[in-house]
Amino acid sequence: MAANRARGQRAGLTRQAVLEAALRLVDQEGLKALSMRRLGAELGVEAMTLYHHVPNKVALLDGVIEQVVAEAVPPEFGAATWRADLSAYAHALVAALNAHPHTVPLLLSRAAMTPRNLRTLEAVVGMLHGAGFSLPRSLDVLYSLTSFVVGHAAAQAGRVDGAGDMASLDPAAYPLLVTAAREAGEDAAEARFDFALDALLSGFEEERAATSATG
């Protein structure tokens, strides 16, 4: 075991380097290509060397999610208004997921409770609580926002956007759907995301205001 550790150290590997390589592999070939053996080959080390940095495949998958989420985290939550912070986070997260579409199924299926991700969640909840949301409601806001963003990214990754298909339907049979889809245009997904995000944030604001008024 000591010899294996020495080989890993000589290879100059760190947990961060392993996770970055894993994300690159997923981006290039999809989740099915990710295995300890294949990742070791990409890094030029034996698979066993990787276990000094990630204990198992589960930890590796959680680490891949961590890398994607890290791309969406602003330098400091609370630097702007809570609404501006959440909006920036949502846009950054959907951009990260669009850049790494093969990772979207992971976010749909895993909590990925790594220390780094938990620190991000703690920062968001702290920012929301400081803005006047109760602690339970702060967590509700965070989960609602994340679910919306990941769902939107999943639809984009799977090319599940009915508007494009609706525009090509028979206008005699479905005049309203066809007209709406054509007026929205081919690049309506981003505008639709902004519309839904603004509606969510407005709902959160109403909840915060109501809580402040009764508190």
Side-chain angles (χ1 to χ4, degrees), residues 131-135 137 204-215:
F133 293 91
S134 69
L135 279 174
R137 189 61 75 209
F204 297 156
E205 171 59 31
E206 290 182 9
E207 168 69 18
R208 188 193 69 83
T211 300
S212 298
T214 58

Side-chain angles (χ1 to χ4, degrees), residues 29-185:
E29 302 184 32
L31 283 170
K32 290 183 179 180
L34 183 61
S35 68
M36 291 298 204
R37 184 182 299 274
R38 179 63 190 283
L39 184 57
E42 290 290 317
L43 290 166
V45 300
E46 294 183 1
M48 288 301 297
T49 301
L50 301 179
Y51 289 98
H52 299 303
H53 307 284
V54 285
N56 49 48
K57 179 70 174 292
V58 170
L60 180 63
L61 293 175
D62 287 347
V64 169
I65 296 177
E66 177 186 296
Q67 291 300 108
V68 176
V69 172
E71 294 184 15
V73 177
E76 181 183 2
F77 285 109
T81 65
W82 71 267
R83 185 162 178 156
D85 277 343
L86 279 190
S87 179
Y89 178 56
H91 280 98
L93 182 56
V94 79
L97 292 173
N98 288 340
H100 307 287
H102 291 303
T103 68
V104 173
L106 280 179
L107 273 85
L108 289 170
S109 63
R110 310 186 65 79
M113 296 296 188
T114 69
R116 188 175 185 180
N117 280 349
L118 289 172
R119 286 194 296 271
T120 297
L121 300 182
E122 183 80 3
V124 177
V125 168
M127 177 271 291
L128 291 170
H129 187 51
F133 293 91
S134 69
L135 279 174
R137 189 61 75 209
S138 296
L139 201 57
D140 290 341
V141 169
L142 174 59
Y143 275 118
S144 298
L145 182 78
T146 303
S147 297
F148 160 66
V149 173
V150 175
H152 177 85
Q156 294 302 108
R159 302 294 187 267
V160 183
D161 190 343
D165 294 333
M166 287 178 185
S168 61
L169 293 173
D170 179 3
Y174 310 102
L176 299 180
L177 292 177
V178 172
T179 300
R182 290 178 178 176
E183 289 182 0

